[in-house]
Structure formats: C-alpha cells, structure tokens
Amino acid sequence: MKKHNFYAGPSILSEYTIKNTAAAVENFAGTGLSILEVSHRSKEFVAVSDEARALIKELLDVPAGYEVLFLGGGASLQFCMVPFNLLNKKASYLDTGTWASNAIKEAKFFGNVEVVASSKDSNYSFIPKNFTVSPDSDYFHFTTNNTIFGTEMRYDPEVGCPLVADMSSDIFSRPIDVSKYDVIYAGAQKNLAPAGVTLAIVREGALGNVERPIPTMLDYRTHIKKESMFNTPPVLPIFAALQTLRWYKELGGVAALEKINLEKAAILYDEIDRNKLFKGTAAVEDRSIMNVCFVMNEEYQELEAEFNSFASAAGMVGIKGHRSVGGFRASIYNAMPKSSVEALVATMKEFEKLH
Amino acid sequence: MKKHNFYAGPSILSEYTIKNTAAAVENFAGTGLSILEVSHRSKEFVAVSDEARALIKELLDVPAGYEVLFLGGGASLQFCMVPFNLLNKKASYLDTGTWASNAIKEAKFFGNVEVVASSKDSNYSFIPKNFTVSPDSDYFHFTTNNTIFGTEMRYDPEVGCPLVADMSSDIFSRPIDVSKYDVIYAGAQKNLAPAGVTLAIVREGALGNVERPIPTMLDYRTHIKKESMFNTPPVLPIFAALQTLRWYKELGGVAALEKINLEKAAILYDEIDRNKLFKGTAAVEDRSIMNVCFVMNEEYQELEAEFNSFASAAGMVGIKGHRSVGGFRASIYNAMPKSSVEALVATMKEFEKLH
C-alpha cells in the first residue's frame, strides 16, 4: 500500500532526491564507488558541494557578502554558535516554542538576553505581536516555523536590528529577504536532505565583533574560509541536498513552491475547519503551512486513538501529534505531494461518516 | 574495471554495508519509506540505534559505567568538547600529527595544556616515546593513528592518569582496554560509516567535575541522558554503522580484524621494503596498519607522477599522499579486502619491471 509520509522530521523527501541518492549509493558520478565511501576532496564531490551552495544562493537570492555553509551538529548546535559569534552586549529573542526556548537558554551562557515576548502561557498556540526590540540589540532571534505547535511567521520582521532566524522547518517554502539577516540556519531534515547536515547562511560582515575566544569549530569564519571543508563534511546528506535543490529549481524556485504550499495547506485547514470531528490548535492567523496541528473536537475526544489507527490503516504515517500538543500533526513539507494531502482529507471525511 | 578504494576518509566500506544501505534508501525495514525520510523516533530507527550502541559495547568490551554516543559535528568538534567537559586544571597532550596538534590548539582555550612530547620537527614520522605525564593531569590525550603520517600507537599507554583518545582512523582495528579511558572518540568515516556521525564512548564518572558552564549541545551529559536523541541524530550514517558492526561481529570481532589487518599491512610494507623504487616514510616500529605512507626512493623521484597515473589506470583510487608528506598513501582500513592490497602490490611490481 502507498504510504503517505507526514513525519515532522526527518521527513518526506522528493522521489527525485531519493531515486538519485539510491543510485549514488550504488555508483557515484561514474566513479565506480559508492557516495558512502568517496573522499570529500574528490573532484566529483567538490563539484557537488559547489553546485549545492551556488543553487542555495540562486534559489534564496542571497546577496553578495554572505556565505553558505554546510555544518554538522544540527540546528541545536547553532543555538550556541550564534551567540558565540554574534552576542556582544545584548541579544533579543522571541519565544514561540520549544526550539525558540532552547535557543534562548543557550544564549544566556553568553550575555544579556532580552526575551521580547512569549506565548508560552498559551502553550505556544500563537505568535506574539506588537513587541518591541531594544535598538541596541546585537540581533533579534526568532524561529520562523514552530514544528511542534504549528505556528509560522511567514515574513521578515522589521525590528530595528539585524535578524537571526532558525528556519529549520520552513526554509525554501517561500521567498525571504536574506539582506535583513545576519544568520539564517536550518537543520536539513525537513525541506532539504536527510538528517546530518545543517545549512547556515552567514553575513561575513557580522563576524569578528565579539571579544571572547571562539573554539575553531564553533567559529563561522573557520568554515567560511575553508568553504565548509575545514573538516570532513557529511557527504551523503550534502549530495541529497543537491538533488532536492535541483528539483526546486526545476519546479520554478521558492515562489512556485510557496504557491503550491499555500494550496496544500488550504486543502487541509479547510477540512479541519469543516469536519465536525476536528479542530485546529494554532491561532488561525499564525497557522503554519508546513505543520498542521489538530485535535479531536471536545465531544469526540474519545475517538483520538481510533482515528490514529484508522489513518494508519489508510497508509498515513507519522500523524500522531507531539506530546506537547497531543492530537495530530500532519507535516506537509515541500516534498509532500498534493495527492497525499488529499488522501488525508479523504480519510478524515470517511472517518467523519462513521461517526 | 574493478576500483580499489584507498581513500584516507571518507573511505571504503564493506560491500555488506553498502548493499544494505542501498536497500534501505529504497525501503527501510519494511516501512515502505526510505531511510532518508523516517523519523529518528520511529520504532524501527530506535531499534537501529539501540542495536548499534549495544554492538559497540559488545565488540569493544565496554565496561559498565560507560555510555556510547552518536554525535554530530565530526571528531574536530570533540577537540573542544573534551576539554569543555574534562579539563579542570591541566591536561597533557601528545603531539603526533596534524589532528593531535589541532586538538592541542582547542584545549588551550580551556586551561593549562602540557604537551609532553612532539615529533613535529621530524614531520611527525615517528611516535615520541619515553615522555612523562604530570600525575596531576586531568587526562592524557593522544591520537592512536595518524592518518596523514602513517604512524600508529597500537596499545593503551600507561601514564598515571586517565586516557582520552582520538581513534578516528583505527577504531575497531584491534582490541582496546576501554577501562583505561575517560573518553574515546572517532569520526565514523574510516572504520564505521559514511561521514556525518561521530562515535564517543564516555565514562560517566568523569563528567560533572568542571566549574565552567557548558552549552547544552557540548555537554556529554545531555547526550547520555537522551541516549543520543537530544536532537535529531544523523539517521543514515547510524544505519550504515549498524551494518558495519554486524559485519564485524560476523567476522569474529576486533581480534579477528586485527589479525587480518596485520596480514594486509605486512603484505604492503614488505613490498615497499623490497621494491627498489619505493621507501616508507614512517619509523618502522611505529608503522600504521591502517594508512601506509610511502614515497619514491631518491633516485626515482621523477617517476612519482608516472606511478600515480599507472596505478590509477590499474584501478587504484585515492593513493596520492597528503600534501604534508607527498608521495603515496594507501589506506587499508578494516573493509579493504586483501585482494585489493595484493592488486596494489602487483601494480608496484609491474611498475618496477618497467624501470
């Protein structure tokens, strides 16, 4: 039976990415060797890394003065790398969920941290608005998409200081204005590649302004200088990322992806709002187009486990909600075909008829 | 034509590892999904991670009180994680090559570092002996195998304080006495898995003794507590590692691997010593059984480029030496079949006949 992959991350990748990666595990670029066992300094892999970084610059319209890095350690390592490199006197953070809160915790090791607003008291069901950022902040950090709570900031906020964003779960889902950011980072395992590589886009002019010594591996300048080959990069995840990026370009780039994403999200939210059994958990104006969180309506609470089994039997994988929210979460990243969203909607309708 | 993969890293993996990983990229554990796109919290992947950690404990005879971790960021990140977690007053380091020297550089960010000996003045062609380690050192750090220079310490030194070792390029090549170590770490991309995961074996009792605050991701206790799932681990590299570990067990474990490794290394070193065209670069008593470094003999220097082409044409991949040593380097890790070592020897003999 066809499986519909709604995992929150690691999550669905395009058939194009999977097919080409499978082929490279057998024989990479005609080398007669597997992508699993080729040197990162082989000319064939250097070409992969170069093309991937160039495509990221092209797709996100990255201005001059920025470098694209492939790093190890996950977005969680960026929670400390960002303040290590950028926090001089004070940084401002917006608390919109578990990952934002983890980033705040790490920043506090390094200096004065201003939390400008938080929706924690409402279990992060909305994005705080009307907050003020101190103009003397070194940067304003926010999480564009809150994977666990299904809220998203689909804009580049104007706050009076440079932006730093964790875009792990919605990068490449829409156009962004990179020039407003000092650092953008994203764990690859949602919209780019299998787990194991983290993308960072760093403004070189933002570096070198802190007094503290920075361990070599945690200094963005190390990786900029060596074009992400200071140490051995995660070869296979970068190869897979290149496949995804080529597919994005073929589809028409991030503006085209945004159009498709809005359409897919609307199909699913419309059903959640219409179906008597379900309701959404995130504030309507802040709904994520990547992670759609919903629960059973009050009077149908007892059907939760049954719907989970019913949907599993219909081929839906990974729709159980995170324990912080409960209920269900359908992650509908870039690679999720509209047909899978429609299949989930059909399953919801069918389940409604039974009750 | 059959390729013989002598890359220093990322490097050859067993056919068993490659075949099973290729199959899992198509369909992982019967889930109908690719290993590239399954949640690290799926029961199928949790089983992979658990089995891999258990097999490491079994193969290396890891005593109670130690935890096995899969981390991101490469062995180079361990260069700062080790002193972050363990360096209280003073640490002692042995300088045997580029990576040892990089580890020393990072430790200096954290405290007093005693370099007990160095072979740098001899371009790291031997392992210093007869050095003394201060008994009040928090730990003694050394690199068991120097990938670039082809030297190796195939023993667990007795120095009067706990050991910490970078075993990136020879872990699983022989039995070790883990009980002498506080931390053993190894980038996976030589004897374990494709690039993207780092193995760490950590004695829990060695942690919590430093005053400094440790960022969450750099604190070994974070990863111990969450069984390497504090954040998303590199799923595919860990899956591939499990395949390698199963293959090692099937072959008879690390004692059996050591026997084969000694035999393969002897075949190649014997030819280097016999063949009039070549000579080894490492001190004979310190020769690595993983990375065999050799250059043209003085009177045949001008043949270097020609031998490189000749060997390439015979299917030898990755034998160009590191720029720090020049000449040639044949990396003959655990997964390298004896037949490939014999093929290289045959090529050397054939080339000798031409001159």
Side-chain angles (χ1 to χ4, degrees), chain A residues 53-96:
Chain A
R53 288 180 298 129
L55 267 176
I56 289 168
K57 287 188 176 180
E58 182 182 336
L59 287 164
L60 296 180
D61 200 11
V62 176
Y66 286 78
E67 267 312 323
V68 170
L69 303 176
F70 291 123
L71 304 173
S76 292
L77 189 62
Q78 298 304 305
F79 296 164
C80 78
M81 267 180 86
V82 163
F84 237 132
N85 284 269
L86 301 182
L87 204 170
N88 220 335
K89 292 241 166 54
K90 181 162 75 175
S92 297
Y93 279 70
L94 182 63
D95 180 23
T96 56

mmCIF file of all heavy atoms in Angstrom, chain A residues 53-96:
data_model
loop_
_atom_site.group_PDB
_atom_site.id
_atom_site.type_symbol
_atom_site.label_atom_id
_atom_site.label_comp_id
_atom_site.label_asym_id
_atom_site.label_seq_id
_atom_site.Cartn_x
_atom_site.Cartn_y
_atom_site.Cartn_z
ATOM 1 N N ARG A 53 25.878 24.802 -2.987
ATOM 2 C CA ARG A 53 25.964 26.136 -2.379
ATOM 3 C C ARG A 53 25.530 27.218 -3.373
ATOM 4 O O ARG A 53 24.848 28.173 -3.019
ATOM 5 C CB ARG A 53 27.356 26.379 -1.825
ATOM 6 C CG ARG A 53 27.593 25.529 -0.543
ATOM 7 C CD ARG A 53 28.967 25.727 0.072
ATOM 8 N NE ARG A 53 30.012 25.325 -0.857
ATOM 9 C CZ ARG A 53 31.054 26.071 -1.189
ATOM 10 N NH1 ARG A 53 31.225 27.246 -0.644
ATOM 11 N NH2 ARG A 53 31.950 25.619 -2.056
ATOM 12 N N ALA A 54 25.917 27.027 -4.643
ATOM 13 C CA ALA A 54 25.524 28.011 -5.664
ATOM 14 C C ALA A 54 24.004 28.014 -5.862
ATOM 15 O O ALA A 54 23.386 29.075 -6.001
ATOM 16 C CB ALA A 54 26.234 27.699 -6.983
ATOM 17 N N LEU A 55 23.398 26.837 -5.830
ATOM 18 C CA LEU A 55 21.941 26.761 -6.018
ATOM 19 C C LEU A 55 21.190 27.390 -4.856
ATOM 20 O O LEU A 55 20.132 28.004 -5.046
ATOM 21 C CB LEU A 55 21.506 25.301 -6.191
ATOM 22 C CG LEU A 55 21.425 24.787 -7.625
ATOM 23 C CD1 LEU A 55 21.067 23.295 -7.624
ATOM 24 C CD2 LEU A 55 20.390 25.582 -8.442
ATOM 25 N N ILE A 56 21.727 27.234 -3.659
ATOM 26 C CA ILE A 56 21.090 27.872 -2.494
ATOM 27 C C ILE A 56 21.122 29.389 -2.663
ATOM 28 O O ILE A 56 20.129 30.085 -2.443
ATOM 29 C CB ILE A 56 21.777 27.426 -1.183
ATOM 30 C CG1 ILE A 56 21.434 25.958 -0.901
ATOM 31 C CG2 ILE A 56 21.351 28.312 -0.006
ATOM 32 C CD1 ILE A 56 22.266 25.309 0.180
ATOM 33 N N LYS A 57 22.268 29.901 -3.097
ATOM 34 C CA LYS A 57 22.367 31.350 -3.327
ATOM 35 C C LYS A 57 21.372 31.801 -4.393
ATOM 36 O O LYS A 57 20.731 32.839 -4.257
ATOM 37 C CB LYS A 57 23.798 31.713 -3.754
ATOM 38 C CG LYS A 57 24.798 31.645 -2.606
ATOM 39 C CD LYS A 57 26.168 32.195 -3.007
ATOM 40 C CE LYS A 57 27.112 32.196 -1.812
ATOM 41 N NZ LYS A 57 28.455 32.713 -2.134
ATOM 42 N N GLU A 58 21.238 30.992 -5.420
ATOM 43 C CA GLU A 58 20.334 31.353 -6.511
ATOM 44 C C GLU A 58 18.866 31.289 -6.047
ATOM 45 O O GLU A 58 18.088 32.224 -6.245
ATOM 46 C CB GLU A 58 20.569 30.391 -7.676
ATOM 47 C CG GLU A 58 19.714 30.686 -8.892
ATOM 48 C CD GLU A 58 19.947 29.664 -10.020
ATOM 49 O OE1 GLU A 58 21.038 29.036 -10.056
ATOM 50 O OE2 GLU A 58 19.016 29.492 -10.835
ATOM 51 N N LEU A 59 18.495 30.189 -5.397
ATOM 52 C CA LEU A 59 17.092 29.994 -5.022
ATOM 53 C C LEU A 59 16.624 31.009 -3.982
ATOM 54 O O LEU A 59 15.477 31.446 -4.008
ATOM 55 C CB LEU A 59 16.876 28.575 -4.477
ATOM 56 C CG LEU A 59 16.900 27.456 -5.521
ATOM 57 C CD1 LEU A 59 17.066 26.094 -4.831
ATOM 58 C CD2 LEU A 59 15.621 27.464 -6.360
ATOM 59 N N LEU A 60 17.519 31.368 -3.049
ATOM 60 C CA LEU A 60 17.120 32.308 -1.985
ATOM 61 C C LEU A 60 17.574 33.724 -2.280
ATOM 62 O O LEU A 60 17.426 34.613 -1.449
ATOM 63 C CB LEU A 60 17.662 31.834 -0.628
ATOM 64 C CG LEU A 60 17.103 30.505 -0.125
ATOM 65 C CD1 LEU A 60 17.710 30.145 1.223
ATOM 66 C CD2 LEU A 60 15.575 30.553 -0.011
ATOM 67 N N ASP A 61 18.146 33.932 -3.475
ATOM 68 C CA ASP A 61 18.575 35.256 -3.901
ATOM 69 C C ASP A 61 19.504 35.865 -2.840
ATOM 70 O O ASP A 61 19.286 36.988 -2.372
ATOM 71 C CB ASP A 61 17.327 36.136 -4.123
ATOM 72 C CG ASP A 61 17.623 37.333 -5.010
ATOM 73 O OD1 ASP A 61 18.711 37.358 -5.618
ATOM 74 O OD2 ASP A 61 16.780 38.252 -5.063
ATOM 75 N N VAL A 62 20.518 35.105 -2.452
ATOM 76 C CA VAL A 62 21.448 35.524 -1.394
ATOM 77 C C VAL A 62 22.358 36.627 -1.925
ATOM 78 O O VAL A 62 23.011 36.448 -2.949
ATOM 79 C CB VAL A 62 22.287 34.315 -0.905
ATOM 80 C CG1 VAL A 62 23.322 34.746 0.124
ATOM 81 C CG2 VAL A 62 21.376 33.222 -0.340
ATOM 82 N N PRO A 63 22.384 37.789 -1.266
ATOM 83 C CA PRO A 63 23.200 38.902 -1.778
ATOM 84 C C PRO A 63 24.703 38.665 -1.576
ATOM 85 O O PRO A 63 25.100 37.760 -0.834
ATOM 86 C CB PRO A 63 22.756 40.098 -0.919
ATOM 87 C CG PRO A 63 21.694 39.619 0.009
ATOM 88 C CD PRO A 63 21.708 38.124 -0.010
ATOM 89 N N ALA A 64 25.515 39.481 -2.214
ATOM 90 C CA ALA A 64 26.964 39.430 -2.002
ATOM 91 C C ALA A 64 27.255 39.699 -0.525
ATOM 92 O O ALA A 64 26.473 40.362 0.158
ATOM 93 C CB ALA A 64 27.656 40.483 -2.867
ATOM 94 N N GLY A 65 28.361 39.154 -0.022
ATOM 95 C CA GLY A 65 28.734 39.388 1.368
ATOM 96 C C GLY A 65 28.239 38.309 2.308
ATOM 97 O O GLY A 65 28.508 38.357 3.509
ATOM 98 N N TYR A 66 27.502 37.349 1.758
ATOM 99 C CA TYR A 66 27.019 36.224 2.562
ATOM 100 C C TYR A 66 27.686 34.942 2.100
ATOM 101 O O TYR A 66 27.996 34.786 0.920
ATOM 102 C CB TYR A 66 25.502 36.034 2.402
ATOM 103 C CG TYR A 66 24.671 37.067 3.128
ATOM 104 C CD1 TYR A 66 24.505 38.348 2.601
ATOM 105 C CD2 TYR A 66 24.035 36.754 4.327
ATOM 106 C CE1 TYR A 66 23.728 39.300 3.264
ATOM 107 C CE2 TYR A 66 23.254 37.697 4.989
ATOM 108 C CZ TYR A 66 23.112 38.966 4.454
ATOM 109 O OH TYR A 66 22.346 39.894 5.110
ATOM 110 N N GLU A 67 27.907 34.031 3.042
ATOM 111 C CA GLU A 67 28.402 32.717 2.644
ATOM 112 C C GLU A 67 27.416 31.632 3.058
ATOM 113 O O GLU A 67 26.747 31.747 4.086
ATOM 114 C CB GLU A 67 29.792 32.438 3.244
ATOM 115 C CG GLU A 67 30.929 32.839 2.312
ATOM 116 C CD GLU A 67 30.780 32.349 0.868
ATOM 117 O OE1 GLU A 67 30.284 31.220 0.661
ATOM 118 O OE2 GLU A 67 31.139 33.111 -0.055
ATOM 119 N N VAL A 68 27.365 30.595 2.249
ATOM 120 C CA VAL A 68 26.501 29.447 2.522
ATOM 121 C C VAL A 68 27.373 28.322 3.072
ATOM 122 O O VAL A 68 28.385 27.963 2.458
ATOM 123 C CB VAL A 68 25.803 28.988 1.228
ATOM 124 C CG1 VAL A 68 25.102 27.655 1.444
ATOM 125 C CG2 VAL A 68 24.824 30.050 0.743
ATOM 126 N N LEU A 69 27.006 27.792 4.227
ATOM 127 C CA LEU A 69 27.809 26.763 4.889
ATOM 128 C C LEU A 69 27.010 25.479 5.102
ATOM 129 O O LEU A 69 25.807 25.537 5.375
ATOM 130 C CB LEU A 69 28.278 27.262 6.258
ATOM 131 C CG LEU A 69 29.082 28.565 6.279
ATOM 132 C CD1 LEU A 69 29.379 28.970 7.719
ATOM 133 C CD2 LEU A 69 30.384 28.410 5.487
ATOM 134 N N PHE A 70 27.708 24.357 5.002
ATOM 135 C CA PHE A 70 27.136 23.079 5.415
ATOM 136 C C PHE A 70 27.873 22.639 6.683
ATOM 137 O O PHE A 70 29.079 22.385 6.646
ATOM 138 C CB PHE A 70 27.322 22.016 4.333
ATOM 139 C CG PHE A 70 26.494 22.269 3.102
ATOM 140 C CD1 PHE A 70 27.083 22.383 1.855
ATOM 141 C CD2 PHE A 70 25.121 22.392 3.198
ATOM 142 C CE1 PHE A 70 26.320 22.610 0.726
ATOM 143 C CE2 PHE A 70 24.338 22.622 2.071
ATOM 144 C CZ PHE A 70 24.942 22.731 0.827
ATOM 145 N N LEU A 71 27.136 22.559 7.787
ATOM 146 C CA LEU A 71 27.765 22.257 9.073
ATOM 147 C C LEU A 71 27.205 20.968 9.662
ATOM 148 O O LEU A 71 26.126 20.513 9.269
ATOM 149 C CB LEU A 71 27.535 23.419 10.035
ATOM 150 C CG LEU A 71 28.023 24.791 9.536
ATOM 151 C CD1 LEU A 71 27.588 25.887 10.487
ATOM 152 C CD2 LEU A 71 29.536 24.800 9.361
ATOM 153 N N GLY A 72 27.919 20.407 10.622
ATOM 154 C CA GLY A 72 27.422 19.250 11.356
ATOM 155 C C GLY A 72 26.826 19.679 12.689
ATOM 156 O O GLY A 72 26.905 20.852 13.060
ATOM 157 N N GLY A 73 26.229 18.746 13.402
ATOM 158 C CA GLY A 73 25.799 19.038 14.769
ATOM 159 C C GLY A 73 24.346 19.449 14.917
ATOM 160 O O GLY A 73 23.853 19.555 16.037
ATOM 161 N N GLY A 74 23.665 19.724 13.813
ATOM 162 C CA GLY A 74 22.243 20.051 13.913
ATOM 163 C C GLY A 74 21.987 21.509 14.250
ATOM 164 O O GLY A 74 22.890 22.239 14.673
ATOM 165 N N ALA A 75 20.743 21.933 14.065
ATOM 166 C CA ALA A 75 20.357 23.312 14.397
ATOM 167 C C ALA A 75 20.593 23.579 15.874
ATOM 168 O O ALA A 75 20.906 24.705 16.267
ATOM 169 C CB ALA A 75 18.898 23.560 14.027
ATOM 170 N N SER A 76 20.478 22.558 16.708
ATOM 171 C CA SER A 76 20.683 22.766 18.153
ATOM 172 C C SER A 76 22.089 23.266 18.457
ATOM 173 O O SER A 76 22.289 23.981 19.440
ATOM 174 C CB SER A 76 20.413 21.472 18.927
ATOM 175 O OG SER A 76 19.045 21.139 18.870
ATOM 176 N N LEU A 77 23.058 22.896 17.637
ATOM 177 C CA LEU A 77 24.406 23.423 17.853
ATOM 178 C C LEU A 77 24.462 24.909 17.480
ATOM 179 O O LEU A 77 25.224 25.680 18.076
ATOM 180 C CB LEU A 77 25.442 22.625 17.055
ATOM 181 C CG LEU A 77 26.905 22.951 17.360
ATOM 182 C CD1 LEU A 77 27.267 22.641 18.811
ATOM 183 C CD2 LEU A 77 27.843 22.187 16.427
ATOM 184 N N GLN A 78 23.628 25.308 16.528
ATOM 185 C CA GLN A 78 23.570 26.732 16.165
ATOM 186 C C GLN A 78 23.040 27.582 17.321
ATOM 187 O O GLN A 78 23.365 28.763 17.409
ATOM 188 C CB GLN A 78 22.694 26.932 14.916
ATOM 189 C CG GLN A 78 23.233 26.217 13.684
ATOM 190 C CD GLN A 78 24.650 26.623 13.365
ATOM 191 O OE1 GLN A 78 24.941 27.809 13.216
ATOM 192 N NE2 GLN A 78 25.545 25.652 13.288
ATOM 193 N N PHE A 79 22.236 26.965 18.193
ATOM 194 C CA PHE A 79 21.730 27.724 19.349
ATOM 195 C C PHE A 79 22.888 28.314 20.157
ATOM 196 O O PHE A 79 22.747 29.376 20.756
ATOM 197 C CB PHE A 79 20.879 26.837 20.260
ATOM 198 C CG PHE A 79 19.614 26.305 19.628
ATOM 199 C CD1 PHE A 79 18.922 25.242 20.217
ATOM 200 C CD2 PHE A 79 19.101 26.849 18.459
ATOM 201 C CE1 PHE A 79 17.752 24.749 19.653
ATOM 202 C CE2 PHE A 79 17.927 26.352 17.880
ATOM 203 C CZ PHE A 79 17.256 25.301 18.485
ATOM 204 N N CYS A 80 24.017 27.597 20.219
ATOM 205 C CA CYS A 80 25.168 28.192 20.917
ATOM 206 C C CYS A 80 26.152 28.869 19.957
ATOM 207 O O CYS A 80 26.819 29.821 20.335
ATOM 208 C CB CYS A 80 25.854 27.199 21.860
ATOM 209 S SG CYS A 80 26.928 25.978 21.126
ATOM 210 N N MET A 81 26.231 28.396 18.715
ATOM 211 C CA MET A 81 27.167 29.038 17.772
ATOM 212 C C MET A 81 26.778 30.485 17.485
ATOM 213 O O MET A 81 27.636 31.357 17.359
ATOM 214 C CB MET A 81 27.251 28.252 16.459
ATOM 215 C CG MET A 81 28.369 27.230 16.448
ATOM 216 S SD MET A 81 28.483 26.297 14.886
ATOM 217 C CE MET A 81 29.505 27.380 13.873
ATOM 218 N N VAL A 82 25.486 30.748 17.360
ATOM 219 C CA VAL A 82 25.037 32.119 17.066
ATOM 220 C C VAL A 82 25.512 33.093 18.138
ATOM 221 O O VAL A 82 26.208 34.065 17.822
ATOM 222 C CB VAL A 82 23.498 32.159 16.872
ATOM 223 C CG1 VAL A 82 22.961 33.581 16.987
ATOM 224 C CG2 VAL A 82 23.118 31.558 15.532
ATOM 225 N N PRO A 83 25.188 32.880 19.422
ATOM 226 C CA PRO A 83 25.686 33.837 20.417
ATOM 227 C C PRO A 83 27.213 33.800 20.572
ATOM 228 O O PRO A 83 27.824 34.854 20.819
ATOM 229 C CB PRO A 83 24.989 33.418 21.719
ATOM 230 C CG PRO A 83 24.494 32.030 21.495
ATOM 231 C CD PRO A 83 24.253 31.894 20.024
ATOM 232 N N PHE A 84 27.824 32.636 20.423
ATOM 233 C CA PHE A 84 29.299 32.570 20.476
ATOM 234 C C PHE A 84 29.896 33.583 19.493
ATOM 235 O O PHE A 84 30.843 34.308 19.810
ATOM 236 C CB PHE A 84 29.777 31.168 20.078
ATOM 237 C CG PHE A 84 30.628 30.467 21.109
ATOM 238 C CD1 PHE A 84 30.364 29.143 21.466
ATOM 239 C CD2 PHE A 84 31.710 31.092 21.699
ATOM 240 C CE1 PHE A 84 31.145 28.475 22.409
ATOM 241 C CE2 PHE A 84 32.503 30.434 22.640
ATOM 242 C CZ PHE A 84 32.216 29.127 22.998
ATOM 243 N N ASN A 85 29.321 33.668 18.308
ATOM 244 C CA ASN A 85 29.874 34.504 17.250
ATOM 245 C C ASN A 85 29.337 35.924 17.210
ATOM 246 O O ASN A 85 30.004 36.813 16.706
ATOM 247 C CB ASN A 85 29.601 33.855 15.883
ATOM 248 C CG ASN A 85 30.523 32.676 15.607
ATOM 249 O OD1 ASN A 85 31.588 32.845 15.030
ATOM 250 N ND2 ASN A 85 30.128 31.485 16.042
ATOM 251 N N LEU A 86 28.109 36.122 17.721
ATOM 252 C CA LEU A 86 27.441 37.410 17.482
ATOM 253 C C LEU A 86 27.051 38.190 18.727
ATOM 254 O O LEU A 86 26.820 39.392 18.642
ATOM 255 C CB LEU A 86 26.158 37.198 16.653
ATOM 256 C CG LEU A 86 26.287 36.561 15.276
ATOM 257 C CD1 LEU A 86 24.905 36.489 14.629
ATOM 258 C CD2 LEU A 86 27.248 37.320 14.367
ATOM 259 N N LEU A 87 26.921 37.504 19.871
ATOM 260 C CA LEU A 87 26.395 38.210 21.038
ATOM 261 C C LEU A 87 27.510 38.989 21.738
ATOM 262 O O LEU A 87 28.398 38.398 22.353
ATOM 263 C CB LEU A 87 25.722 37.232 22.011
ATOM 264 C CG LEU A 87 24.670 37.826 22.956
ATOM 265 C CD1 LEU A 87 23.913 36.718 23.686
ATOM 266 C CD2 LEU A 87 25.197 38.820 23.935
ATOM 267 N N ASN A 88 27.425 40.286 21.629
ATOM 268 C CA ASN A 88 28.445 41.142 22.220
ATOM 269 C C ASN A 88 27.928 41.668 23.561
ATOM 270 O O ASN A 88 28.424 41.307 24.612
ATOM 271 C CB ASN A 88 28.731 42.296 21.262
ATOM 272 C CG ASN A 88 30.199 42.621 21.207
ATOM 273 O OD1 ASN A 88 30.934 42.340 22.156
ATOM 274 N ND2 ASN A 88 30.637 43.213 20.118
ATOM 275 N N LYS A 89 26.894 42.479 23.508
ATOM 276 C CA LYS A 89 26.327 43.072 24.720
ATOM 277 C C LYS A 89 24.971 42.486 25.052
ATOM 278 O O LYS A 89 24.691 42.079 26.143
ATOM 279 C CB LYS A 89 26.182 44.592 24.532
ATOM 280 C CG LYS A 89 27.494 45.336 24.446
ATOM 281 C CD LYS A 89 27.612 46.353 25.579
ATOM 282 C CE LYS A 89 29.023 46.886 25.739
ATOM 283 N NZ LYS A 89 29.571 47.453 24.485
ATOM 284 N N LYS A 90 24.112 42.455 24.040
ATOM 285 C CA LYS A 90 22.730 42.043 24.305
ATOM 286 C C LYS A 90 22.111 41.468 23.042
ATOM 287 O O LYS A 90 22.365 41.946 21.937
ATOM 288 C CB LYS A 90 21.907 43.255 24.751
ATOM 289 C CG LYS A 90 20.463 42.905 25.072
ATOM 290 C CD LYS A 90 19.781 43.969 25.916
ATOM 291 C CE LYS A 90 19.432 45.188 25.096
ATOM 292 N NZ LYS A 90 18.655 46.160 25.903
ATOM 293 N N ALA A 91 21.295 40.462 23.216
ATOM 294 C CA ALA A 91 20.544 39.924 22.084
ATOM 295 C C ALA A 91 19.089 39.786 22.485
ATOM 296 O O ALA A 91 18.776 39.554 23.653
ATOM 297 C CB ALA A 91 21.110 38.576 21.664
ATOM 298 N N SER A 92 18.195 39.952 21.515
ATOM 299 C CA SER A 92 16.757 39.842 21.773
ATOM 300 C C SER A 92 16.222 38.576 21.124
ATOM 301 O O SER A 92 16.614 38.232 20.004
ATOM 302 C CB SER A 92 16.032 41.067 21.217
ATOM 303 O OG SER A 92 16.486 42.226 21.886
ATOM 304 N N TYR A 93 15.347 37.917 21.844
ATOM 305 C CA TYR A 93 14.791 36.645 21.366
ATOM 306 C C TYR A 93 13.272 36.670 21.499
ATOM 307 O O TYR A 93 12.737 37.206 22.471
ATOM 308 C CB TYR A 93 15.350 35.464 22.185
ATOM 309 C CG TYR A 93 16.737 35.002 21.758
ATOM 310 C CD1 TYR A 93 17.865 35.785 21.985
ATOM 311 C CD2 TYR A 93 16.903 33.762 21.126
ATOM 312 C CE1 TYR A 93 19.126 35.356 21.601
ATOM 313 C CE2 TYR A 93 18.171 33.320 20.746
ATOM 314 C CZ TYR A 93 19.279 34.124 20.987
ATOM 315 O OH TYR A 93 20.525 33.688 20.597
ATOM 316 N N LEU A 94 12.619 36.050 20.552
ATOM 317 C CA LEU A 94 11.165 35.863 20.621
ATOM 318 C C LEU A 94 10.911 34.397 20.975
ATOM 319 O O LEU A 94 11.463 33.489 20.336
ATOM 320 C CB LEU A 94 10.543 36.213 19.254
ATOM 321 C CG LEU A 94 9.024 36.114 19.150
ATOM 322 C CD1 LEU A 94 8.331 37.110 20.095
ATOM 323 C CD2 LEU A 94 8.574 36.380 17.703
ATOM 324 N N ASP A 95 10.084 34.179 21.987
ATOM 325 C CA ASP A 95 9.845 32.813 22.467
ATOM 326 C C ASP A 95 8.530 32.276 21.906
ATOM 327 O O ASP A 95 7.457 32.593 22.411
ATOM 328 C CB ASP A 95 9.808 32.817 24.004
ATOM 329 C CG ASP A 95 9.563 31.418 24.564
ATOM 330 O OD1 ASP A 95 9.847 30.425 23.855
ATOM 331 O OD2 ASP A 95 9.089 31.326 25.711
ATOM 332 N N THR A 96 8.653 31.467 20.872
ATOM 333 C CA THR A 96 7.441 30.965 20.203
ATOM 334 C C THR A 96 7.313 29.442 20.268
ATOM 335 O O THR A 96 6.460 28.877 19.587
ATOM 336 C CB THR A 96 7.450 31.367 18.714
ATOM 337 O OG1 THR A 96 8.671 30.863 18.131
ATOM 338 C CG2 THR A 96 7.379 32.878 18.543
#
